[in-house]
Amino acid sequence: MRAMLIANPKATSTSRQARDTLVRAFAGDLDLVLAETAHRGHATELARDAARDGFDVVIALGGDGTVNETVNGLLTDGPDLKLPALAVLPSGSANVFARALGLPGDPVGATRHVLAALRAGRHRTVGLGAASLPDGTERYFTFCAGVGLDAEVVREVERLRLAGAKADPSLYVRAAVRQFFAGTDRRRPALTVEAPGAAPISGVFLVFVSNTAPWTFLGPLPLNPSPRANFALGLDVFGTRSLSAGTVLSAFAKMLVARSRPMGGRHIVNVHDAEHVTLRATRPVAFELDGDYLGEHATITFRAVPKAVRIVI
């Protein structure tokens, strides 16, 4: 079985020695090619080449950004169940997709699970989300997209990481507090949410589009604005029509509480199991996918892509 291991050498929790150990662990079961990423977008290029060259499995060793790039490379020519299966070895700061799949949070533990699944021939097919921009570009995402404050925080975290800051939950908390009180526009909502079968909802400040639950993690704590989101369904949307401190703190607290139903309230927007959702903004608004900042945009259309990729698990 031919496999490509795409490894991000800058991932938070993986050293070169650890990568070498993982390579040796797979050597007895796979004809393995190791490919290390050298720049942003490189995992997409490597995964695209692996798909076109007929590899059986692509293994992503890195954080959610590496996994997202790998998925987009695999699906360059569109979803096809004859494409290589995807295995995930988490080594980033959040690893939301891996944790949503039920994998251990460390690459060594995940390797044991992946090897057992490979030997047994076990796969799981999951749906993805896709975001389309007016210029015709489309990007797949595995667990979430964010528009507004969430994406502004991701942008700030990326800036701080480039300056040498360590990616950990405290960095996100500090960036979120600073952006909320001194960065984001909390007076003029820019977004309108358009979903099938419902009237447009205007006056929205921020939106999370979820492909699974939870939306993200704060260290070990899951944050869950759309608890019914599921890889096997369409997309879920959570939004808020107020950025007052009381509304945001209340919503944040409710996200931390385990529950099966979405939160309610006059300022809360919920959409469940949508085939597609369009966000329109009165001005360009910050946008992120799977924790990767993608600039400011005025219109974004999201769609559910069922049974898009096979996961070794």
Side-chain angles (χ1 to χ4, degrees), residues 1-3 25-26 29-30 32 56-59 85-87 111-123 311-313:
M1 185 179 295
R2 295 174 67 217
F26 283 110
D29 294 82
L30 301 172
L32 188 68
D56 300 296
V57 180
V58 171
I59 305 167
L86 172 68
T111 295
R112 289 195 291 267
H113 280 250
V114 169
L115 277 172
L118 284 170
R119 291 164 181 166
R122 291 197 306 267
H123 300 87
I311 307 294
V312 179
I313 196 167

Side-chain angles (χ1 to χ4, degrees), residues 147-230:
V147 181
L149 176 61
D150 165 52
E152 293 170 2
V153 172
V154 169
R155 178 179 62 198
E156 177 66 7
V157 167
E158 288 191 3
R159 184 188 68 79
L160 293 171
R161 291 187 68 180
L162 286 173
K166 180 182 177 182
D168 59 25
S170 68
L171 180 64
Y172 283 86
V173 171
R174 295 196 307 273
V177 171
R178 186 182 306 114
Q179 191 65 30
F180 180 79
F181 286 106
T184 197
D185 186 338
R186 295 194 287 138
R187 295 184 178 182
R188 298 179 302 147
L191 296 168
T192 295
V193 179
E194 300 175 359
I201 304 170
S202 59
V204 179
F205 281 94
L206 67 85
V207 166
F208 306 142
V209 181
S210 294
N211 185 49
T212 186
W215 156 59
T216 191
F217 288 86
L218 184 63
L221 301 175
L223 297 177
N224 213 351
S226 298
R228 294 188 294 171
N230 191 288

Side-chain angles (χ1 to χ4, degrees), residues 60-72:
L61 171 60
D64 289 309
T66 302
V67 174
N68 180 277
E69 288 189 9
T70 301
V71 165
N72 277 274

Side-chain angles (χ1 to χ4, degrees), residues 7-166:
N8 178 3
K10 297 182 179 179
T12 304
S13 59
T14 304
S15 65
R16 181 169 296 278
Q17 182 178 3
R19 287 196 297 277
D20 292 342
T21 300
L22 297 179
V23 169
R24 288 194 295 271
F26 283 110
D29 294 82
L30 301 172
D31 178 9
L32 188 68
V33 174
L34 172 63
E36 290 192 342
T37 59
H39 53 79
R40 187 169 183 167
H42 196 190
T44 297
E45 299 167 10
L46 294 168
R48 178 198 62 208
D49 293 343
R52 292 177 176 176
D53 290 345
F55 277 75
D56 300 296
V57 180
V58 171
I59 305 167
L61 171 60
D64 289 309
T66 302
V67 174
N68 180 277
E69 288 189 9
T70 301
V71 165
N72 277 274
L74 290 175
L75 301 183
T76 296
D77 300 321
D80 185 340
L81 294 185
K82 295 179 181 179
L83 289 171
L86 172 68
V88 178
L89 304 180
S91 62
S93 58
N95 306 310
V96 179
F97 183 60
R99 292 159 86 171
L101 292 170
L103 285 167
D106 67 285
V108 174
T111 295
R112 289 195 291 267
H113 280 250
V114 169
L115 277 172
L118 284 170
R119 291 164 181 166
R122 291 197 306 267
H123 300 87
R124 174 186 177 187
T125 303
V126 303
L128 300 174
S132 300
L133 300 175
D135 64 3
T137 60
E138 185 172 61
R139 178 91 173 250
Y140 295 95
F141 60 98
T142 61
F143 61 92
C144 83
V147 181
L149 176 61
D150 165 52
E152 293 170 2
V153 172
V154 169
R155 178 179 62 198
E156 177 66 7
V157 167
E158 288 191 3
R159 184 188 68 79
L160 293 171
R161 291 187 68 180
L162 286 173
K166 180 182 177 182

